[in-house]
Amino acid sequence: MNIAKIKSGIFVCAIALLLAGCQSMQSSSSSSSASTPSTSQSSQSSPAASSSSQSSSPSDSQQQSSSERQSGAEEAAYDEADERQGPTGEAASDQAQESGMPGGGEILSEEEAVAVLDEQFDESIAVFDGMIINERATVQAIESEYSDDEEEVFGDDNPLFEEADINEDSDGNGEPASPTEGGGGAASDVNAEKGDGTLASGSNSMPSPRAGARVPADIPDGSDDDIVARQIREAAMKEADPVLREKLWEEYRKYKRGQ
Amino acid sequence: MYLKSRSNPFILVLALLTLVSCGGQRITSTVVTPLEHQTIDVDESQLLDLAVLPFSPGLEEAAQKDDLTVLPAVRNAESQYLANTLASTIQQTTAWGAVRAVPSRDTVVDVYVDGKIIHSDGEKLALDISVTDVSNRHWYTKSYTEMVGQYAYKNGSKIKRDPFQGLFNRIANDLLEYRQQLSADEAKKLRAVSSLKFARDFSPEAFGDHIRETPGGQLEVIRLPAENDPILRRIARIRERDYLFVDTMQEHYDAFSRRMEKPYQSWRRATYEELASVRELKRQSRNRTIGGVAAIIGGILASGSNNGSAQAAGAVTIGAGALLVKSGLSKRAELKIHEGALAELGQSLEAEVEPQVIELEDRTITLTGNVEAQYTQWKALLREIYKAERGEI
């Protein structure tokens, strides 16, 4: 009986020891897996960070040291970046912001900086050219409007000549049918031709339908254009020279990409 | 003795009438001064660009004279129209580079022509013209006046040339004469000053010490930049754009002149006719009033005679004199009608050209504002490029 109790007691103790041993193994394996990356970081960390980790207790010190190492690494990275920027780093970044260099922190050589500024200069030249072309188109529109007015003044006589020609053509039919009278087939044909002619001349004088047809397929509708983009777009749409027009569209694309 | 004393009043009256009828003669030019041309070829490097600035309308002087026939809108329109006509005339002499009407002295060219309208109607045009160059040297100031006769408007319904073209030709001829007195070196120096002034405006860091202002206020060249100077090449590109801007403004001025020409020349013709009528009526009114008064005086003197027939003649003369005075007064009333017609003509032209003047001013302000904004940006860019090329950034 006692032997049996002793055996069961030993068995329970053994199980207890086994359970305890399993728990200790689990905890040690988890702590070792967490410390692996921190070890790799510790090789890059500053001496101050590593010394602080040495003074801590093993279990707590591992977590503390990993966070300190991270912050130390960040500081080191900032220090390194500061060292690379040097004393003119601030001025260069300001310059980059002022001149709109791509990637404010990117360091450019003198030639590269001049090239970037020259590119901006070229773009502004193109914008200016677009504005001038636009303005000239406006002058031409004013001129054509004025010449149209002038034609209207003298144009009162023109229908009389046209009617006279029609009358001569329809001489054999006796009294010619006036446009207001209608009825006669010949007269209605003439009216139809006249009407077509008027519409055709009217559509020629309006630039927008022609301009719309000139917009390349890859150009967006321009609803989100700012004033500069709109000016380039309008200049391109009004440009008659295909080479210059394509240059203007290219400027438009570049400008939109820059946006 | 008796006969002598009796004939005196009649002689007096006759003498007065003769004197009165002789007054009011006008002198008008019948020959249009021909435009002279540059006959010898000028090297391109010596061709000077010339800018005609908008004329001063002279409204302050007109207000001081209380001249009600001068209408501000018409004068403002004339200040652009006449300046453009002069620019066109000067260009035809073929002695200059580009001749343009420009909105202000901000545009850098070699020679500037300023003008002021002293008098302008269909009969008379008077201008004060002042010429300076880019180095601030004053060339000369001269007054020009021309009166035209009926012949100027007798070319049928369509006027083929400006009625005062002779005056513009004289101005252009004087400019040509002065230009021909300049040596080739002087012309080249002027061009250098204008180029460096333009460059200095855009990049004072690079070209600030190439020209300087003398104590007398004139600009002079200190040293010339290298031909392959990269900043200068960029500025040359900007200057080409500046020429484009000036040419575009010129197109606006030309369009304005073309639109204004028809109503303006019609106004000139109408004012000429009205002014001729006014002058004739003034003359008639004055003559009849003076003649009438003289006749009345003569009649009074004659009626004091002992001779009965002389007394009768005196009475008749007094009656005739009274009629003459009355006729003179009626002419004055007629005169007022013509003066009213003149004012109406001016108002009619004013209503026609005022929208055009406003439109031109609007265009000028908008375009100039856009261009100036772009120039400011280029100046900043050139400053950055200048620093970048010297490793200062």
Side-chain angles (χ1 to χ4, degrees):
Chain A
M1 185 64 184
N2 286 335
I3 292 168
K5 282 183 181 178
I6 288 165
K7 280 183 181 175
S8 65
I10 290 166
F11 182 69
V12 168
C13 284
I15 289 172
L17 283 169
L18 275 172
L19 284 170
C22 286
Q23 278 181 347
S24 68
M25 279 186 72
Q26 278 179 351
S27 68
S28 67
S29 68
S30 67
S31 68
S32 66
S33 66
S35 67
T36 309
S38 67
T39 350
S40 64
Q41 282 180 358
S42 68
S43 63
Q44 296 175 354
S45 65
S46 64
S50 58
S51 64
S52 67
S53 68
Q54 284 171 359
S55 61
S56 306
S57 63
S59 61
D60 292 339
S61 69
Q62 282 182 344
Q63 286 183 355
Q64 192 183 352
S65 65
S66 66
S67 65
E68 280 180 2
R69 280 170 197 158
Q70 277 185 349
S71 66
E74 282 171 8
E75 282 174 14
Y78 285 130
D79 289 343
E80 194 176 333
D82 286 344
E83 280 173 12
R84 270 187 295 175
Q85 278 190 346
T88 57
E90 192 178 344
S93 67
D94 287 347
Q95 173 56 32
Q97 282 173 355
E98 275 179 18
S99 60
M101 285 182 189
E106 197 177 334
I107 306 303
L108 300 174
S109 66
E110 281 175 19
E111 290 78 15
E112 286 169 338
V114 171
V116 168
L117 291 167
D118 265 337
E119 196 177 335
Q120 287 180 24
F121 182 64
D122 289 342
E123 282 172 11
S124 64
I125 288 268
V127 170
F128 185 87
D129 289 350
M131 182 188 74
I132 291 292
I133 291 167
N134 207 9
E135 193 65 28
R136 290 194 161 181
T138 307
V139 182
Q140 283 172 1
I142 293 169
E143 283 282 287
S144 61
E145 186 186 337
Y146 174 66
S147 59
D148 285 349
D149 291 346
E150 286 287 287
E151 280 169 12
E152 276 174 20
V153 171
F154 298 106
D156 293 343
D157 295 332
N158 293 337
L160 292 175
F161 290 115
E162 283 179 17
E163 281 172 17
D165 290 338
I166 293 163
N167 294 347
E168 281 174 10
D169 289 341
S170 56
D171 214 2
N173 298 331
E175 277 297 309
S178 70
T180 49
E181 284 172 357
S188 62
D189 288 343
V190 169
N191 285 342
E193 282 174 18
K194 229 177 149 180
D196 287 342
T198 311
L199 281 172
S201 63
S203 62
N204 281 338
S205 64
M206 291 169 69
S208 49
R210 288 186 303 157
R214 287 178 178 173
V215 179
D218 63 323
I219 298 292
D221 64 351
S223 56
D224 59 340
D225 281 359
D226 62 8
I227 187 164
V228 177
R230 198 163 62 244
Q231 279 185 341
I232 305 173
R233 184 189 181 88
E234 285 176 5
M237 286 167 74
K238 286 174 183 170
E239 181 52 52
D241 182 3
V243 179
L244 191 53
R245 185 166 65 240
E246 186 46 45
K247 279 185 181 174
L248 284 165
W249 281 126
E250 191 50 42
E251 285 301 327
Y252 180 82
R253 289 186 194 101
K254 272 163 66 176
Y255 184 80
K256 293 294 280 184
R257 276 199 298 270
Q259 276 187 319
Chain B
M1 185 69 187
Y2 170 74
L3 281 172
K4 194 178 177 184
S5 67
R6 193 178 59 175
S7 60
N8 273 346
F10 296 104
I11 291 166
L12 180 68
V13 169
L14 281 171
L16 278 169
L17 286 173
T18 309
L19 281 170
V20 165
S21 63
C22 289
Q25 292 297 313
R26 290 168 58 249
I27 298 168
T28 58
S29 59
T30 54
V31 178
V32 176
T33 307
L35 183 67
E36 292 171 14
H37 296 85
Q38 175 73 27
T39 49
I40 304 164
D41 283 345
V42 181
D43 189 73
E44 197 275 333
S45 64
Q46 298 167 31
L47 279 176
L48 300 178
D49 290 341
L50 185 145
V52 183
L53 298 158
F55 290 170
S56 166
L59 291 170
E60 289 173 8
E61 288 78 2
Q64 283 172 0
K65 288 179 191 169
D66 204 20
D67 189 351
L68 298 175
T69 59
V70 176
L71 298 165
V74 174
R75 271 294 171 90
N76 286 330
E78 284 181 307
S79 70
Q80 299 285 0
Y81 181 87
L82 297 176
N84 201 31
T85 307
L86 178 60
S88 170
T89 306
I90 295 169
Q91 181 79 78
Q92 289 169 32
T93 61
T94 64
W96 306 89
V99 182
R100 300 283 184 265
V102 299
S104 74
R105 205 175 267 265
D106 291 340
T107 305
V108 179
V109 295
D110 305 317
V111 182
Y112 296 95
V113 177
D114 278 296
K116 185 175 187 180
I117 303 171
I118 306 301
H119 186 98
S120 176
D121 56 36
E123 195 176 63
K124 179 183 172 184
L125 179 63
L127 301 173
D128 281 352
I129 297 294
S130 177
V131 187
T132 50
D133 63 31
V134 69
S135 70
N136 298 328
R137 187 174 55 167
H138 180 249
W139 285 15
Y140 62 86
T141 298
K142 196 171 173 182
S143 297
Y144 297 85
T145 304
E146 187 149 307
M147 301 266 297
V148 295
Q150 184 67 36
Y151 75 93
Y153 299 100
K154 275 189 174 173
N155 294 330
S157 58
K158 288 182 181 176
I159 298 168
K160 290 181 177 62
R161 65 154 189 266
D162 195 282
F164 296 95
Q165 189 58 51
L167 183 142
F168 296 114
N169 290 353
R170 278 158 51 204
I171 297 171
N173 292 347
D174 286 345
L175 267 167
L176 177 63
E177 190 183 339
Y178 194 95
R179 168 67 188 85
Q180 286 172 340
Q181 289 169 5
L182 290 180
S183 66
D185 279 350
E186 284 174 313
K188 283 179 183 173
K189 274 181 190 170
L190 267 184
R191 283 186 58 139
V193 169
S194 60
S195 294
L196 289 173
K197 186 172 187 284
F198 187 86
R200 189 185 66 175
D201 287 351
F202 276 87
S203 184
E205 300 85 5
F207 301 103
D209 56 351
H210 285 69
I211 51 171
R212 72 171 176 201
E213 197 169 320
T214 62
Q218 288 189 12
L219 293 175
E220 64 179 14
V221 178
I222 304 297
R223 63 191 176 92
L224 293 170
E227 283 183 6
N228 60 351
D229 186 311
I231 296 277
L232 193 65
R233 281 209 300 269
R234 292 182 188 97
I235 289 175
R237 289 179 70 192
I238 294 175
R239 195 151 199 214
E240 283 169 16
R241 268 69 197 178
D242 194 57
Y243 291 144
L244 279 177
F245 158 63
V246 171
D247 285 347
T248 308
M249 278 311 307
Q250 183 64 55
E251 286 185 20
H252 275 300
Y253 289 131
D254 288 343
F256 171 79
S257 290
R258 274 192 286 275
R259 293 177 77 178
M260 183 174 162
E261 185 171 17
K262 203 173 171 184
Y264 183 60
Q265 300 295 5
S266 300
W267 172 79
R268 274 178 162 177
R269 174 194 291 273
T271 56
Y272 177 86
E273 288 165 0
E274 287 297 329
L275 283 167
S277 302
V278 164
R279 194 174 43 258
E280 179 62 20
L281 284 170
K282 273 184 181 171
R283 191 182 65 80
Q284 286 179 3
S285 171
R286 186 180 62 242
N287 290 356
R288 288 181 191 192
T289 306
I290 294 171
V293 169
I296 290 168
I297 292 167
I300 290 168
L301 289 172
S303 62
S305 168
N306 294 329
N307 190 317
S309 60
Q311 285 178 352
V316 170
T317 309
I318 290 170
L323 281 174
L324 270 173
V325 170
K326 190 188 171 191
S327 172
L329 292 173
S330 71
K331 287 289 176 190
R332 282 191 186 176
E334 206 177 326
L335 184 66
K336 289 210 179 299
I337 294 169
H338 283 278
E339 284 174 345
L342 267 173
E344 276 183 23
L345 282 169
Q347 285 160 6
S348 172
L349 179 66
E350 192 175 40
E352 196 151 0
V353 299
E354 194 165 20
Q356 294 172 22
V357 174
I358 291 169
E359 188 184 339
L360 181 67
E361 284 177 355
D362 191 36
R363 285 272 162 208
T364 306
I365 290 167
T366 307
L367 184 57
T368 308
N370 288 342
V371 167
E372 279 175 3
Q374 185 63 72
Y375 285 1
T376 306
Q377 192 193 347
W378 282 340
K379 284 173 189 176
L381 262 176
L382 288 175
R383 190 163 50 245
E384 296 304 323
I385 292 171
Y386 179 81
K387 284 181 186 173
E389 284 181 340
R390 276 148 190 79
E392 293 175 14
I393 55 174

